[in-house]
Amino acid sequence: MLPFDGISLGCDYNPEQWPRSVWPEDVALMQEAGVGFVTLGVFSWGLLEPRPGEFDFGWFDEVVGLLHEGGIAIDMATATAAPPPWLTHRHPEVLPVDREGRTLWPGSRQSFIPSSPVFREYALRLVEQMAQRYGSHPAVRMWHVSNELGCHIGKDWSDVSAAAFRVWLADRYGDVDALNEAWGTAFWSQHYTSFDEVLPPRITPAVPNPTQELDFARFSSDAWLDHYRAERDVLRRHSPGVPVTTNFMVADHQYEQDYFGWGPEMDVVSQDHYLDHRHAHPHAEQSFAADLTRGTAGGRPWLLMESATSAVNWQPVNITKLPGELLVDSLRQVARGADGIGFFQWRASKAGGEKFHSALVPHAGRDSARFREVVGLGAALAAIGEVAGEPVRADVALLHDWESHWACDLDSHPSGELRALDAAHRWHRALTELGATADVVHPESDLSAYRLVVVPTLYLCSDRVAPALEAFAAAGGTVLVTYFSGIVDGHDHVRLGGYPGAFRDLLGVRAEEFTPLPVGATVTLDDGGTADLWTEVLGVTDAEVVARYADGPLPGTPAVTRRAVSAGSAWYVATRLDHAATTALADRLTRDAGVARLDEPQEGVEVVRRGHFLFVLNRGERPVTVPATGTELLGGGAVTGSVTVAPASAAVVRGGR
């Protein structure tokens, strides 16, 4: 359970942007909108510590008092997300450096190196002041470390980070001989005689060492996590019992932190997510990100810390939300495990780099359609408060791993068009449109509760994954593995003997060579399906052929196979099926596996079961009717047999189907 009541509406609150006379009005409007919590102080360092060691908390105390009197809980930020100019002026050595050796100067935010001992000293001094002053305040219900750690500088190539990287490598490998073996330094005369010779993977004349790049990605994620731990430990010392979090960024374009490693370190997992209209299917990507966030939380409820009421400001074209979209997008997150819905920010800024980012109170003010929609959302979240704490029910596990993602997307692979998340998004979207729910989980998670496991482009995996999948299938489960999976081990070394490497025995197939397709080229399967991007010279060793290529470079070669495994089965898809073919195969697999889903899927409809509650989300242009019986919590009353949901709207049925 989150430390807020019910399903809480929240937001970032930045009162320093506004005169004191506005603050009481803010609290009154928050009460009108049903705001239950605010994140306070994220970017306040420069005013809380205007000069080194000189702290000014008077104005901040006033804001805390107003919020407390108004009954609004505080998620108190440590204010370390953006160092003030005096710090970077006095200590330019804390400034990050990009891969090409250019210093990233102050003037925006997050202008610091997480491994910098100088920055750490100043940041922890501020955290200690914050924790001592507000650690026992009754309004402070949660602590918020920094903000979006690694958002803009997921990696830093400075000498400061280089030194920390060498320490990390020594801890990981013990000696330089083990490093040489792991990095395959016999190739291109890269043999090291000392850790002192190792650098981050900066710009090189040719392709960098891929294992060096992979380890630097691991180190970088760990460096940010280590900074989180340092601040968290100060908070726990001075504010025991108050949960601590930091906001993840689980999104298609943010992938530099291994949040499966971060999740266990959080008292509450929180996540920022904004619809990205550069993505072909932004709402499907949002659903995937929510299910993955739930996976990082180990299935526990989580908090959507930030989202947008309408447009953002950082995409090439910033699309506004249509009427009803705010409600549906917010309830999508609740359906998939969020116990709170937060936004950036309370008031739209009148100055600065995000002044055209939407907010709960837009530039037009209280008398606006957007604010009225916010008030409606607050009422809707209050109406479904009893959902809080309920687990999401999923019969499908979709395996994802950030390390595999990093390794898969490196250079010099068979096709530069292949990206790790592509297959994951395609299969998740197909499952969602069928009304099935998937937990997106780490490959070494316990799979015993599922009926179907999907393994989309898991390029890198440990030796433990395939035996676990074999045992899952032998117990009656269904496994589906897609192309470019199981190819390398944890050092990014190819598993010899034929593809798909780790999964050859499980799947009963062996490929001698990859045959990627040119951009725009397609192939037809003999079952009528269409595919692109990828084919393989695939042979069957212990499996049946479900579909073959009817044309293309490999006519007659197996494209989809199935191996019986005791009471279950293991499928292999050796090409990228288009959406229709992906959905058709997902339809067959979910029905055969007994996965809970819609009998008759409908376009634009998402159905998710959370505990005893059924969420029906309608993004379509026509009313939809879904089987359900119970009580509709958003004003619909008793439901017998089915519930009808208007376009751009949602229903939450207690009792469900």
Side-chain angles (χ1 to χ4, degrees), residues 90-134:
R90 286 169 172 76
H91 296 285
E93 68 271 24
V94 308
L95 292 170
V97 174
D98 72 9
R99 188 169 193 153
E100 297 181 15
R102 299 172 298 190
T103 297
L104 303 180
W105 297 100
S108 57
R109 63 179 188 176
Q110 210 178 87
S111 49
F112 64 89
I113 299 167
S115 300
S116 166
V118 174
F119 177 78
R120 182 75 58 87
E121 178 184 352
Y122 281 95
L124 295 188
R125 183 176 70 179
L126 174 62
V127 175
E128 188 134 24
Q129 290 283 328
M130 296 285 289
Q132 288 175 338
R133 192 171 192 92
Y134 302 110

Side-chain angles (χ1 to χ4, degrees), residues 541-630:
T541 59
D542 181 24
E544 63 176 299
V545 178
V546 177
R548 299 177 184 271
Y549 300 109
D551 54 23
L554 301 171
T557 301
V560 180
T561 64
R562 176 187 181 277
R563 173 178 171 248
V565 184
S566 298
S569 60
W571 294 67
Y572 185 53
V573 180
T575 186
R576 186 171 75 174
L577 302 175
D578 68 9
H579 182 60
T582 301
T583 302
L585 183 52
D587 181 77
R588 175 177 175 178
L589 293 176
T590 52
R591 291 186 189 277
D592 290 351
V595 169
R597 43 158 293 170
L598 288 172
D599 290 334
E600 299 295 335
Q602 301 176 65
E603 185 176 355
V605 177
E606 290 180 54
V607 176
V608 183
R609 165 80 75 172
R610 184 172 176 190
H612 299 292
F613 301 88
L614 182 71
F615 285 74
V616 182
L617 312 174
N618 183 8
R619 288 194 299 105
E621 299 177 354
R622 296 186 297 274
V624 297
T625 300
V626 171
T629 297

Side-chain angles (χ1 to χ4, degrees), residues 139-203:
V140 176
R141 304 275 286 278
M142 187 163 71
W143 284 100
H144 181 129
V145 167
S146 192
N147 185 69
E148 295 182 337
L149 291 169
C151 174
H152 303 290
I153 45 169
K155 300 184 183 73
D156 165 67
W157 285 266
S158 68
D159 289 342
V160 172
S161 286
F165 183 40
R166 287 189 281 270
V167 172
W168 184 91
L169 290 170
D171 288 342
R172 182 177 180 85
Y173 292 109
D175 60 59
V176 74
D177 291 337
L179 172 75
N180 282 312
E181 177 63 25
W183 285 16
T185 57
F187 184 76
W188 280 357
S189 186
Q190 295 176 5
H191 183 81
Y192 294 98
T193 61
S194 167
F195 284 112
D196 294 337
E197 299 166 359
V198 179
L199 293 170
R202 294 167 175 163
I203 294 294

Side-chain angles (χ1 to χ4, degrees), residues 109-110 147-155 224 247 249 253-257 259 272:
R109 63 179 188 176
Q110 210 178 87
N147 185 69
E148 295 182 337
L149 291 169
C151 174
H152 303 290
I153 45 169
K155 300 184 183 73
W224 284 110
N247 37 344
M249 298 166 295
H253 63 285
Q254 298 280 4
Y255 53 86
E256 293 190 302
Q257 283 71 47
Y259 289 129
D272 293 356

Side-chain angles (χ1 to χ4, degrees), residues 195-254:
F195 284 112
D196 294 337
E197 299 166 359
V198 179
L199 293 170
R202 294 167 175 163
I203 294 294
T204 63
V207 178
N209 184 311
T211 313
Q212 181 183 9
E213 291 208 87
L214 177 58
D215 270 348
F216 190 64
R218 289 164 168 153
F219 154 76
S220 299
S221 178
D222 285 354
W224 284 110
L225 178 57
D226 185 64
H227 181 80
Y228 167 81
R229 290 193 191 104
E231 291 200 20
R232 178 202 64 190
D233 291 349
V234 173
L235 295 171
R236 285 182 173 173
R237 194 162 62 245
H238 295 289
S239 185
V242 179
V244 185
T245 189
T246 193
N247 37 344
F248 292 179
M249 298 166 295
V250 180
D252 181 50
H253 63 285
Q254 298 280 4

Side-chain angles (χ1 to χ4, degrees), residues 325-370:
E325 194 173 357
L326 174 60
L327 174 68
V328 174
D329 288 349
S330 299
L331 292 187
R332 177 178 298 112
Q333 306 279 11
V334 177
R336 298 179 184 277
D339 271 4
I341 301 296
F343 294 91
F344 179 85
Q345 57 181 320
W346 170 243
R347 283 188 183 271
S349 300
K350 64 179 181 180
E354 293 183 293
K355 60 181 174 289
F356 291 113
H357 193 294
S358 61
L360 278 77
V361 181
H363 290 144
R366 177 181 181 277
D367 185 15
S368 61
R370 190 61 66 192

